[in-house]
Amino acid sequence: MPYRTGLTVIMVSALVAIGCGLYAYFVPLTGVTGVWGPLAAAFGALCLLIGGALMIKARSRGARVILMLLLAIGIVLTAFAAFLMHQWVMLAALGVCALGWIAALSGPEEGAYA
């Protein structure tokens, strides 16, 4: 999977995770309705979306490395929050996000930004 496709997978799955977090917060009988946990997980997914967008604009190798590390930490922690809230669809979306992260490890091709 190419680098840009991996970033697209990260951003689309982050959008799904945001939707799942907001669903868990607002819809009754989810077990976590009205508490801050789903909002925190949705905010973590929003940070993943923003991080994926920043990866597209990152030009230097150092910036890409730091963003990839932050994305990895964000994926793991948001997935842990989804696991603790028993939000399995959100956890599956974050698993797909992790696959996109692995695909994005290849980095852009040389001269892709020239």
Side-chain angles (χ1 to χ4, degrees):
M1 188 182 315
Y3 172 74
R4 293 277 179 154
T5 306
L7 292 179
T8 303
V9 168
I10 288 173
M11 291 190 291
V12 170
S13 60
L15 280 174
V16 172
I18 291 169
C20 291
L22 293 177
Y23 175 85
Y25 181 76
F26 288 112
V27 174
L29 300 177
T30 59
V32 288
T33 303
V35 297
W36 64 271
L39 286 182
F43 178 73
L46 177 66
C47 292
L48 293 175
L49 178 67
I50 293 169
L54 288 175
M55 280 293 293
I56 292 173
K57 295 294 184 183
R59 300 223 183 259
S60 70
R61 183 175 176 89
R64 285 194 307 265
V65 167
I66 289 173
L67 282 170
M68 288 300 282
L69 286 173
L70 290 174
L71 281 173
I73 292 169
I75 290 169
V76 169
L77 293 178
T78 307
F80 184 64
F83 173 75
L84 291 178
M85 292 184 296
H86 300 274
Q87 297 298 315
W88 307 121
V89 175
M90 186 178 199
L91 189 61
L94 291 166
V96 172
C97 190
L99 292 176
W101 182 83
I102 291 170
L105 281 177
S106 64
E109 295 177 7
E110 200 62 39
Y113 293 115

